[in-house]
PDB file of all heavy atoms in Angstrom:
ATOM      1  N   GLU A  97      -8.299  35.861  -4.823  1.00 97.00           N
ATOM      2  CA  GLU A  97      -8.597  36.259  -3.449  1.00 97.00           C
ATOM      3  C   GLU A  97      -7.470  35.876  -2.516  1.00 97.00           C
ATOM      4  O   GLU A  97      -6.926  34.782  -2.566  1.00 97.00           O
ATOM      5  CB  GLU A  97      -9.905  35.621  -2.989  1.00 97.00           C
ATOM      6  CG  GLU A  97     -10.336  36.063  -1.597  1.00 97.00           C
ATOM      7  CD  GLU A  97     -11.596  35.381  -1.117  1.00 97.00           C
ATOM      8  OE1 GLU A  97     -12.198  34.611  -1.888  1.00 97.00           O
ATOM      9  OE2 GLU A  97     -11.962  35.599   0.061  1.00 97.00           O
ATOM     10  N   ARG A  98      -7.124  36.811  -1.614  1.00 98.00           N
ATOM     11  CA  ARG A  98      -6.077  36.558  -0.631  1.00 98.00           C
ATOM     12  C   ARG A  98      -6.698  36.450   0.765  1.00 98.00           C
ATOM     13  O   ARG A  98      -7.600  37.216   1.125  1.00 98.00           O
ATOM     14  CB  ARG A  98      -5.059  37.696  -0.627  1.00 98.00           C
ATOM     15  CG  ARG A  98      -4.473  38.022  -1.996  1.00 98.00           C
ATOM     16  CD  ARG A  98      -3.418  39.110  -1.928  1.00 98.00           C
ATOM     17  NE  ARG A  98      -2.943  39.485  -3.259  1.00 98.00           N
ATOM     18  CZ  ARG A  98      -1.899  40.244  -3.482  1.00 98.00           C
ATOM     19  NH1 ARG A  98      -1.190  40.731  -2.436  1.00 98.00           N
ATOM     20  NH2 ARG A  98      -1.506  40.541  -4.705  1.00 98.00           N
ATOM     21  N   LEU A  99      -6.220  35.500   1.528  1.00 97.00           N
ATOM     22  CA  LEU A  99      -6.653  35.421   2.913  1.00 97.00           C
ATOM     23  C   LEU A  99      -5.979  36.502   3.756  1.00 97.00           C
ATOM     24  O   LEU A  99      -6.563  37.082   4.657  1.00 97.00           O
ATOM     25  CB  LEU A  99      -6.309  34.022   3.497  1.00 97.00           C
ATOM     26  CG  LEU A  99      -6.699  33.786   4.959  1.00 97.00           C
ATOM     27  CD1 LEU A  99      -8.196  33.895   5.164  1.00 97.00           C
ATOM     28  CD2 LEU A  99      -6.191  32.431   5.413  1.00 97.00           C
ATOM     29  N   HIS A 100      -4.725  36.810   3.391  1.00 98.00           N
ATOM     30  CA  HIS A 100      -3.980  37.855   4.056  1.00 98.00           C
ATOM     31  C   HIS A 100      -2.843  38.303   3.131  1.00 98.00           C
ATOM     32  O   HIS A 100      -2.546  37.617   2.129  1.00 98.00           O
ATOM     33  CB  HIS A 100      -3.401  37.372   5.383  1.00 98.00           C
ATOM     34  CG  HIS A 100      -2.503  36.169   5.261  1.00 98.00           C
ATOM     35  ND1 HIS A 100      -1.206  36.260   4.798  1.00 98.00           N
ATOM     36  CD2 HIS A 100      -2.720  34.851   5.519  1.00 98.00           C
ATOM     37  CE1 HIS A 100      -0.655  35.055   4.784  1.00 98.00           C
ATOM     38  NE2 HIS A 100      -1.554  34.172   5.211  1.00 98.00           N
ATOM     39  N   GLU A 101      -2.227  39.378   3.439  1.00 98.00           N
ATOM     40  CA  GLU A 101      -1.056  39.851   2.689  1.00 98.00           C
ATOM     41  C   GLU A 101       0.179  39.070   3.177  1.00 98.00           C
ATOM     42  O   GLU A 101       0.133  38.399   4.211  1.00 98.00           O
ATOM     43  CB  GLU A 101      -0.869  41.363   2.905  1.00 98.00           C
ATOM     44  CG  GLU A 101      -1.974  42.199   2.260  1.00 98.00           C
ATOM     45  CD  GLU A 101      -2.123  41.943   0.761  1.00 98.00           C
ATOM     46  OE1 GLU A 101      -1.095  41.939   0.046  1.00 98.00           O
ATOM     47  OE2 GLU A 101      -3.266  41.697   0.315  1.00 98.00           O
ATOM     48  N   PRO A 102       1.283  39.139   2.456  1.00 98.00           N
ATOM     49  CA  PRO A 102       2.478  38.393   2.869  1.00 98.00           C
ATOM     50  C   PRO A 102       2.867  38.721   4.311  1.00 98.00           C
ATOM     51  O   PRO A 102       2.821  39.867   4.739  1.00 98.00           O
ATOM     52  CB  PRO A 102       3.546  38.893   1.891  1.00 98.00           C
ATOM     53  CG  PRO A 102       2.797  39.277   0.680  1.00 98.00           C
ATOM     54  CD  PRO A 102       1.514  39.880   1.193  1.00 98.00           C
ATOM     55  N   LYS A 103       3.232  37.685   5.021  1.00 98.00           N
ATOM     56  CA  LYS A 103       3.678  37.875   6.400  1.00 98.00           C
ATOM     57  C   LYS A 103       4.784  36.890   6.730  1.00 98.00           C
ATOM     58  O   LYS A 103       4.943  35.859   6.058  1.00 98.00           O
ATOM     59  CB  LYS A 103       2.520  37.704   7.374  1.00 98.00           C
ATOM     60  CG  LYS A 103       1.916  36.305   7.431  1.00 98.00           C
ATOM     61  CD  LYS A 103       0.766  36.273   8.439  1.00 98.00           C
ATOM     62  CE  LYS A 103       0.137  34.875   8.503  1.00 98.00           C
ATOM     63  NZ  LYS A 103      -0.981  34.846   9.487  1.00 98.00           N
ATOM     64  N   THR A 104       5.570  37.204   7.728  1.00 98.00           N
ATOM     65  CA  THR A 104       6.666  36.347   8.145  1.00 98.00           C
ATOM     66  C   THR A 104       6.227  35.569   9.386  1.00 98.00           C
ATOM     67  O   THR A 104       5.818  36.166  10.399  1.00 98.00           O
ATOM     68  CB  THR A 104       7.935  37.159   8.436  1.00 98.00           C
ATOM     69  OG1 THR A 104       8.305  37.879   7.247  1.00 98.00           O
ATOM     70  CG2 THR A 104       9.075  36.247   8.851  1.00 98.00           C
ATOM     71  N   PHE A 105       6.347  34.268   9.306  1.00 98.00           N
ATOM     72  CA  PHE A 105       5.922  33.397  10.388  1.00 98.00           C
ATOM     73  C   PHE A 105       7.026  33.321  11.451  1.00 98.00           C
ATOM     74  O   PHE A 105       8.165  33.731  11.211  1.00 98.00           O
ATOM     75  CB  PHE A 105       5.605  31.991   9.855  1.00 98.00           C
ATOM     76  CG  PHE A 105       4.522  32.004   8.795  1.00 98.00           C
ATOM     77  CD1 PHE A 105       4.830  31.826   7.460  1.00 98.00           C
ATOM     78  CD2 PHE A 105       3.198  32.200   9.160  1.00 98.00           C
ATOM     79  CE1 PHE A 105       3.849  31.851   6.498  1.00 98.00           C
ATOM     80  CE2 PHE A 105       2.200  32.207   8.207  1.00 98.00           C
ATOM     81  CZ  PHE A 105       2.515  32.030   6.870  1.00 98.00           C
ATOM     82  N   PRO A 106       6.717  32.790  12.654  1.00 98.00           N
ATOM     83  CA  PRO A 106       7.720  32.743  13.728  1.00 98.00           C
ATOM     84  C   PRO A 106       9.003  32.001  13.351  1.00 98.00           C
ATOM     85  O   PRO A 106      10.068  32.236  13.950  1.00 98.00           O
ATOM     86  CB  PRO A 106       6.983  32.017  14.855  1.00 98.00           C
ATOM     87  CG  PRO A 106       5.533  32.348  14.609  1.00 98.00           C
ATOM     88  CD  PRO A 106       5.388  32.367  13.128  1.00 98.00           C
ATOM     89  N   TRP A 107       8.938  31.085  12.375  1.00 98.00           N
ATOM     90  CA  TRP A 107      10.130  30.350  11.955  1.00 98.00           C
ATOM     91  C   TRP A 107      10.855  31.067  10.814  1.00 98.00           C
ATOM     92  O   TRP A 107      11.656  30.503  10.098  1.00 98.00           O
ATOM     93  CB  TRP A 107       9.751  28.920  11.527  1.00 98.00           C
ATOM     94  CG  TRP A 107       8.556  28.847  10.633  1.00 98.00           C
ATOM     95  CD1 TRP A 107       8.565  28.797   9.263  1.00 98.00           C
ATOM     96  CD2 TRP A 107       7.191  28.811  11.020  1.00 98.00           C
ATOM     97  NE1 TRP A 107       7.285  28.753   8.765  1.00 98.00           N
ATOM     98  CE2 TRP A 107       6.415  28.755   9.831  1.00 98.00           C
ATOM     99  CE3 TRP A 107       6.519  28.817  12.248  1.00 98.00           C
ATOM    100  CZ2 TRP A 107       5.027  28.698   9.829  1.00 98.00           C
ATOM    101  CZ3 TRP A 107       5.121  28.779  12.256  1.00 98.00           C
ATOM    102  CH2 TRP A 107       4.404  28.708  11.070  1.00 98.00           C
ATOM    103  N   LEU A 108      10.550  32.355  10.640  1.00 98.00           N
ATOM    104  CA  LEU A 108      11.219  33.288   9.719  1.00 98.00           C
ATOM    105  C   LEU A 108      10.869  33.101   8.240  1.00 98.00           C
ATOM    106  O   LEU A 108      11.450  33.761   7.386  1.00 98.00           O
ATOM    107  CB  LEU A 108      12.752  33.235   9.891  1.00 98.00           C
ATOM    108  CG  LEU A 108      13.287  33.515  11.289  1.00 98.00           C
ATOM    109  CD1 LEU A 108      14.805  33.535  11.269  1.00 98.00           C
ATOM    110  CD2 LEU A 108      12.741  34.813  11.841  1.00 98.00           C
TER     111      LEU A 108
END
Side-chain angles (χ1 to χ4, degrees):
E97 184 182 355
R98 307 183 185 192
L99 179 62
H100 59 77
E101 292 304 311
K103 64 180 180 181
T104 300
F105 301 105
W107 46 95
L108 303 185

